[in-house]
Amino acid sequence: MKTIVSPRKIVASADASGLISQAGALLLLETLRVTGLQRALSQQLQRWRPARAIHDPGKVITDLAITLALGGDCLADIAMLRAQPQMFGLVASDPTVSRLIDRLAADPARALKAIRAARAAARERAWALAGGDAPGADGDLIPIDIDATIVTAHSDKQDAAPTWKKTFGFHPMTVFADHGPAGAGESLALLLRPGNAGSNTAADHIDATSLALAQLPKQRRRKVLIRTDSGGGTHEFLSWLTRPGRWLAYSIGFTLTADIGEAILALPADAWTPAYDADRQVRPGAWVAELTGMLDLSAWPRGMRLIVRKERPHPGAQLRFTDLDGHRFTCFVTSTKQGQLADLELRHRRRARCEDRIRAAKDTGLRNLPLHDFAQNQIWCEIVALACELLAWMQMLALHGVDARRYEPKRLRLRLFAVAGRLVRGGRRLRLRIAARWPWAGWLTAALTRLQALPTPT
């Protein structure tokens, strides 16, 4: 006979002191310190600080960025930090936060320029501290991925419009720096656009790329690979990328036209070489070939190469009218003159990681634009970018060498940020005590130790 024991009843009461929820957010606070982001924001936003104001605008903006990094999705979620002043310090009230956003939105061009300048300064510091783990430190090109996404709106916000996906909202252009297979990526630009903005608008691609390049350290702006889908395959954008003095490499999707289809059919069988999978192993049922010499590309930038990939569609896939001979074809153009076709095609296909970065950004405040005015939501997008960067810099500086550098925000929150702790005083210092049985306590304490060993910028 088995005895059935019911679980004990747990009685809850809100009377504890010294406890810290989201104790892992100390990683973000240390990242703010070592990158100098809050100090840079305070300097850049000084003009928006009223006389006799208690709260520094730079502190308010970084508090909002931490809120989004921890999972918040509106201004009021900053209350999560306000409830724990022993860890996050003095946090502004909701009316104070709203008034700051209104003041910044009253002069959006200058406010955005100031926030972006602070971000660029902090990024240069973060990459310098990361050393060999920073993008481009190995001498390779830094992949810069550009893509647009849909952000739906559930109310009539300013400049919200019907989108090409038959939804209603906005169509921002995003730019991310890829950290490669060993890491995640960081936001360089979030260009807010109305919902009816085009996917292949060259002017928007140029603006987004210019903003992204301005975020990079000057010594690395000539070691960049621009990657986009076919929306960037326009004469105007490619001509801008290849203007003398830019020194930008590109790998850009290209629309499959009738002339390209005829050239594909004219290719001999021995012109196709096997394509690679993500591990650079031969992928069965996929091939690549070059079409550069078979088409008239005189109207396009000099040195542009056109490469095509064909593969057998997976079972159940719907063929398109551009698919020929039972295969699916995709094209891209590149300025790279050397390397095997399979390597160049694999490098271009890795642009798909941009979708992961967009998903992470939507999980960090981009899924919903909570404010009404367009300028206010532009400021919100900059705060989203700050939150994404904080996460990326923290992973790059504190989690290198472990799988956690590739974690998306949801997993970071579950494993590292959500742990509770207790603040205790002793020996003239504060100590954060984390539960010994927390499965990832070792990773968390090691990451904190690594960050606290880094110097504060002077």
PDB file of all heavy atoms in Angstrom, residues 123-144:
ATOM      1  N   ARG A 123      30.467  51.425 -28.028  1.00  0.00           N
ATOM      2  CA  ARG A 123      30.796  50.246 -28.852  1.00  0.00           C
ATOM      3  C   ARG A 123      32.310  50.165 -29.083  1.00  0.00           C
ATOM      4  O   ARG A 123      32.900  49.085 -29.017  1.00  0.00           O
ATOM      5  CB  ARG A 123      30.061  50.327 -30.197  1.00  0.00           C
ATOM      6  CG  ARG A 123      30.190  49.057 -31.032  1.00  0.00           C
ATOM      7  CD  ARG A 123      29.530  49.196 -32.399  1.00  0.00           C
ATOM      8  NE  ARG A 123      28.358  50.028 -32.326  1.00  0.00           N
ATOM      9  CZ  ARG A 123      27.147  49.602 -31.956  1.00  0.00           C
ATOM     10  NH1 ARG A 123      26.994  48.343 -31.598  1.00  0.00           N
ATOM     11  NH2 ARG A 123      26.117  50.427 -31.937  1.00  0.00           N
ATOM     12  N   GLU A 124      32.928  51.302 -29.355  1.00  0.00           N
ATOM     13  CA  GLU A 124      34.379  51.290 -29.556  1.00  0.00           C
ATOM     14  C   GLU A 124      35.088  50.792 -28.302  1.00  0.00           C
ATOM     15  O   GLU A 124      36.051  50.017 -28.376  1.00  0.00           O
ATOM     16  CB  GLU A 124      34.858  52.691 -29.937  1.00  0.00           C
ATOM     17  CG  GLU A 124      36.327  52.749 -30.277  1.00  0.00           C
ATOM     18  CD  GLU A 124      36.735  54.081 -30.883  1.00  0.00           C
ATOM     19  OE1 GLU A 124      35.908  55.018 -30.875  1.00  0.00           O
ATOM     20  OE2 GLU A 124      37.888  54.196 -31.366  1.00  0.00           O
ATOM     21  N   ARG A 125      34.609  51.221 -27.147  1.00  0.00           N
ATOM     22  CA  ARG A 125      35.190  50.770 -25.885  1.00  0.00           C
ATOM     23  C   ARG A 125      34.965  49.270 -25.679  1.00  0.00           C
ATOM     24  O   ARG A 125      35.881  48.530 -25.300  1.00  0.00           O
ATOM     25  CB  ARG A 125      34.553  51.569 -24.741  1.00  0.00           C
ATOM     26  CG  ARG A 125      34.832  51.056 -23.349  1.00  0.00           C
ATOM     27  CD  ARG A 125      36.229  51.331 -22.900  1.00  0.00           C
ATOM     28  NE  ARG A 125      36.430  50.884 -21.520  1.00  0.00           N
ATOM     29  CZ  ARG A 125      37.599  50.867 -20.906  1.00  0.00           C
ATOM     30  NH1 ARG A 125      38.679  51.299 -21.534  1.00  0.00           N
ATOM     31  NH2 ARG A 125      37.696  50.453 -19.661  1.00  0.00           N
ATOM     32  N   ALA A 126      33.740  48.799 -25.975  1.00  0.00           N
ATOM     33  CA  ALA A 126      33.426  47.385 -25.787  1.00  0.00           C
ATOM     34  C   ALA A 126      34.268  46.507 -26.690  1.00  0.00           C
ATOM     35  O   ALA A 126      34.789  45.468 -26.267  1.00  0.00           O
ATOM     36  CB  ALA A 126      31.937  47.150 -26.042  1.00  0.00           C
ATOM     37  N   TRP A 127      34.433  46.904 -27.949  1.00  0.00           N
ATOM     38  CA  TRP A 127      35.215  46.100 -28.876  1.00  0.00           C
ATOM     39  C   TRP A 127      36.695  46.106 -28.492  1.00  0.00           C
ATOM     40  O   TRP A 127      37.392  45.108 -28.677  1.00  0.00           O
ATOM     41  CB  TRP A 127      35.024  46.610 -30.297  1.00  0.00           C
ATOM     42  CG  TRP A 127      33.665  46.276 -30.871  1.00  0.00           C
ATOM     43  CD1 TRP A 127      32.548  45.921 -30.168  1.00  0.00           C
ATOM     44  CD2 TRP A 127      33.299  46.259 -32.246  1.00  0.00           C
ATOM     45  NE1 TRP A 127      31.499  45.695 -31.019  1.00  0.00           N
ATOM     46  CE2 TRP A 127      31.916  45.903 -32.298  1.00  0.00           C
ATOM     47  CE3 TRP A 127      33.957  46.534 -33.428  1.00  0.00           C
ATOM     48  CZ2 TRP A 127      31.221  45.797 -33.503  1.00  0.00           C
ATOM     49  CZ3 TRP A 127      33.265  46.435 -34.639  1.00  0.00           C
ATOM     50  CH2 TRP A 127      31.920  46.066 -34.668  1.00  0.00           C
ATOM     51  N   ALA A 128      37.168  47.236 -27.960  1.00  0.00           N
ATOM     52  CA  ALA A 128      38.563  47.282 -27.519  1.00  0.00           C
ATOM     53  C   ALA A 128      38.786  46.346 -26.336  1.00  0.00           C
ATOM     54  O   ALA A 128      39.810  45.652 -26.263  1.00  0.00           O
ATOM     55  CB  ALA A 128      38.942  48.716 -27.152  1.00  0.00           C
ATOM     56  N   LEU A 129      37.835  46.302 -25.408  1.00  0.00           N
ATOM     57  CA  LEU A 129      37.955  45.406 -24.256  1.00  0.00           C
ATOM     58  C   LEU A 129      37.855  43.944 -24.673  1.00  0.00           C
ATOM     59  O   LEU A 129      38.487  43.077 -24.068  1.00  0.00           O
ATOM     60  CB  LEU A 129      36.869  45.723 -23.232  1.00  0.00           C
ATOM     61  CG  LEU A 129      37.000  47.044 -22.464  1.00  0.00           C
ATOM     62  CD1 LEU A 129      35.761  47.279 -21.610  1.00  0.00           C
ATOM     63  CD2 LEU A 129      38.250  47.043 -21.595  1.00  0.00           C
ATOM     64  N   ALA A 130      37.050  43.664 -25.699  1.00  0.00           N
ATOM     65  CA  ALA A 130      36.852  42.274 -26.129  1.00  0.00           C
ATOM     66  C   ALA A 130      38.083  41.702 -26.805  1.00  0.00           C
ATOM     67  O   ALA A 130      38.274  40.481 -26.830  1.00  0.00           O
ATOM     68  CB  ALA A 130      35.645  42.183 -27.053  1.00  0.00           C
ATOM     69  N   GLY A 131      38.928  42.553 -27.367  1.00  0.00           N
ATOM     70  CA  GLY A 131      40.147  42.067 -28.006  1.00  0.00           C
ATOM     71  C   GLY A 131      39.853  41.126 -29.163  1.00  0.00           C
ATOM     72  O   GLY A 131      39.144  41.456 -30.106  1.00  0.00           O
ATOM     73  N   GLY A 132      40.382  39.909 -29.077  1.00  0.00           N
ATOM     74  CA  GLY A 132      40.216  38.939 -30.159  1.00  0.00           C
ATOM     75  C   GLY A 132      38.808  38.424 -30.328  1.00  0.00           C
ATOM     76  O   GLY A 132      38.504  37.789 -31.352  1.00  0.00           O
ATOM     77  N   ASP A 133      37.916  38.660 -29.365  1.00  0.00           N
ATOM     78  CA  ASP A 133      36.531  38.221 -29.489  1.00  0.00           C
ATOM     79  C   ASP A 133      35.643  39.254 -30.169  1.00  0.00           C
ATOM     80  O   ASP A 133      34.467  39.002 -30.392  1.00  0.00           O
ATOM     81  CB  ASP A 133      35.944  37.915 -28.107  1.00  0.00           C
ATOM     82  CG  ASP A 133      36.583  36.684 -27.483  1.00  0.00           C
ATOM     83  OD1 ASP A 133      36.616  35.638 -28.150  1.00  0.00           O
ATOM     84  OD2 ASP A 133      37.066  36.775 -26.341  1.00  0.00           O
ATOM     85  N   ALA A 134      36.178  40.420 -30.496  1.00  0.00           N
ATOM     86  CA  ALA A 134      35.392  41.469 -31.138  1.00  0.00           C
ATOM     87  C   ALA A 134      35.263  41.189 -32.629  1.00  0.00           C
ATOM     88  O   ALA A 134      36.135  40.550 -33.230  1.00  0.00           O
ATOM     89  CB  ALA A 134      36.039  42.826 -30.912  1.00  0.00           C
ATOM     90  N   PRO A 135      34.187  41.636 -33.255  1.00  0.00           N
ATOM     91  CA  PRO A 135      34.037  41.458 -34.706  1.00  0.00           C
ATOM     92  C   PRO A 135      35.197  42.113 -35.454  1.00  0.00           C
ATOM     93  O   PRO A 135      35.608  43.229 -35.148  1.00  0.00           O
ATOM     94  CB  PRO A 135      32.711  42.172 -35.011  1.00  0.00           C
ATOM     95  CG  PRO A 135      31.962  42.162 -33.724  1.00  0.00           C
ATOM     96  CD  PRO A 135      33.014  42.278 -32.651  1.00  0.00           C
ATOM     97  N   GLY A 136      35.738  41.399 -36.435  1.00  0.00           N
ATOM     98  CA  GLY A 136      36.813  41.932 -37.262  1.00  0.00           C
ATOM     99  C   GLY A 136      38.180  41.891 -36.633  1.00  0.00           C
ATOM    100  O   GLY A 136      39.161  42.297 -37.261  1.00  0.00           O
ATOM    101  N   ALA A 137      38.308  41.398 -35.392  1.00  0.00           N
ATOM    102  CA  ALA A 137      39.618  41.379 -34.735  1.00  0.00           C
ATOM    103  C   ALA A 137      40.581  40.412 -35.415  1.00  0.00           C
ATOM    104  O   ALA A 137      41.802  40.581 -35.318  1.00  0.00           O
ATOM    105  CB  ALA A 137      39.459  41.010 -33.263  1.00  0.00           C
ATOM    106  N   ASP A 138      40.048  39.409 -36.102  1.00  0.00           N
ATOM    107  CA  ASP A 138      40.894  38.431 -36.787  1.00  0.00           C
ATOM    108  C   ASP A 138      41.289  38.872 -38.186  1.00  0.00           C
ATOM    109  O   ASP A 138      41.939  38.115 -38.914  1.00  0.00           O
ATOM    110  CB  ASP A 138      40.185  37.082 -36.849  1.00  0.00           C
ATOM    111  CG  ASP A 138      38.808  37.172 -37.495  1.00  0.00           C
ATOM    112  OD1 ASP A 138      38.400  38.277 -37.894  1.00  0.00           O
ATOM    113  OD2 ASP A 138      38.131  36.128 -37.590  1.00  0.00           O
ATOM    114  N   GLY A 139      40.914  40.091 -38.570  1.00  0.00           N
ATOM    115  CA  GLY A 139      41.252  40.588 -39.892  1.00  0.00           C
ATOM    116  C   GLY A 139      40.229  40.275 -40.956  1.00  0.00           C
ATOM    117  O   GLY A 139      40.323  40.792 -42.079  1.00  0.00           O
ATOM    118  N   ASP A 140      39.241  39.439 -40.653  1.00  0.00           N
ATOM    119  CA  ASP A 140      38.196  39.130 -41.624  1.00  0.00           C
ATOM    120  C   ASP A 140      37.220  40.291 -41.738  1.00  0.00           C
ATOM    121  O   ASP A 140      37.182  41.196 -40.893  1.00  0.00           O
ATOM    122  CB  ASP A 140      37.441  37.867 -41.209  1.00  0.00           C
ATOM    123  CG  ASP A 140      38.267  36.611 -41.385  1.00  0.00           C
ATOM    124  OD1 ASP A 140      39.282  36.675 -42.112  1.00  0.00           O
ATOM    125  OD2 ASP A 140      37.909  35.573 -40.796  1.00  0.00           O
ATOM    126  N   LEU A 141      36.408  40.232 -42.779  1.00  0.00           N
ATOM    127  CA  LEU A 141      35.378  41.250 -42.966  1.00  0.00           C
ATOM    128  C   LEU A 141      34.309  41.127 -41.882  1.00  0.00           C
ATOM    129  O   LEU A 141      33.987  40.027 -41.428  1.00  0.00           O
ATOM    130  CB  LEU A 141      34.723  41.090 -44.338  1.00  0.00           C
ATOM    131  CG  LEU A 141      35.636  41.297 -45.561  1.00  0.00           C
ATOM    132  CD1 LEU A 141      34.860  41.006 -46.845  1.00  0.00           C
ATOM    133  CD2 LEU A 141      36.188  42.710 -45.592  1.00  0.00           C
ATOM    134  N   ILE A 142      33.762  42.249 -41.455  1.00  0.00           N
ATOM    135  CA  ILE A 142      32.678  42.262 -40.478  1.00  0.00           C
ATOM    136  C   ILE A 142      31.362  42.195 -41.241  1.00  0.00           C
ATOM    137  O   ILE A 142      31.018  43.132 -41.974  1.00  0.00           O
ATOM    138  CB  ILE A 142      32.719  43.541 -39.627  1.00  0.00           C
ATOM    139  CG1 ILE A 142      34.062  43.674 -38.910  1.00  0.00           C
ATOM    140  CG2 ILE A 142      31.574  43.550 -38.619  1.00  0.00           C
ATOM    141  CD1 ILE A 142      34.230  44.987 -38.191  1.00  0.00           C
ATOM    142  N   PRO A 143      30.595  41.115 -41.108  1.00  0.00           N
ATOM    143  CA  PRO A 143      29.319  41.036 -41.833  1.00  0.00           C
ATOM    144  C   PRO A 143      28.293  41.996 -41.217  1.00  0.00           C
ATOM    145  O   PRO A 143      28.016  41.964 -40.017  1.00  0.00           O
ATOM    146  CB  PRO A 143      28.885  39.581 -41.643  1.00  0.00           C
ATOM    147  CG  PRO A 143      30.110  38.850 -41.172  1.00  0.00           C
ATOM    148  CD  PRO A 143      30.903  39.856 -40.412  1.00  0.00           C
ATOM    149  N   ILE A 144      27.740  42.860 -42.055  1.00  0.00           N
ATOM    150  CA  ILE A 144      26.697  43.796 -41.658  1.00  0.00           C
ATOM    151  C   ILE A 144      25.430  43.400 -42.417  1.00  0.00           C
ATOM    152  O   ILE A 144      25.373  43.508 -43.639  1.00  0.00           O
ATOM    153  CB  ILE A 144      27.082  45.252 -41.983  1.00  0.00           C
ATOM    154  CG1 ILE A 144      28.405  45.619 -41.308  1.00  0.00           C
ATOM    155  CG2 ILE A 144      25.967  46.204 -41.577  1.00  0.00           C
ATOM    156  CD1 ILE A 144      28.370  45.569 -39.813  1.00  0.00           C
TER     157      ILE A 144
END
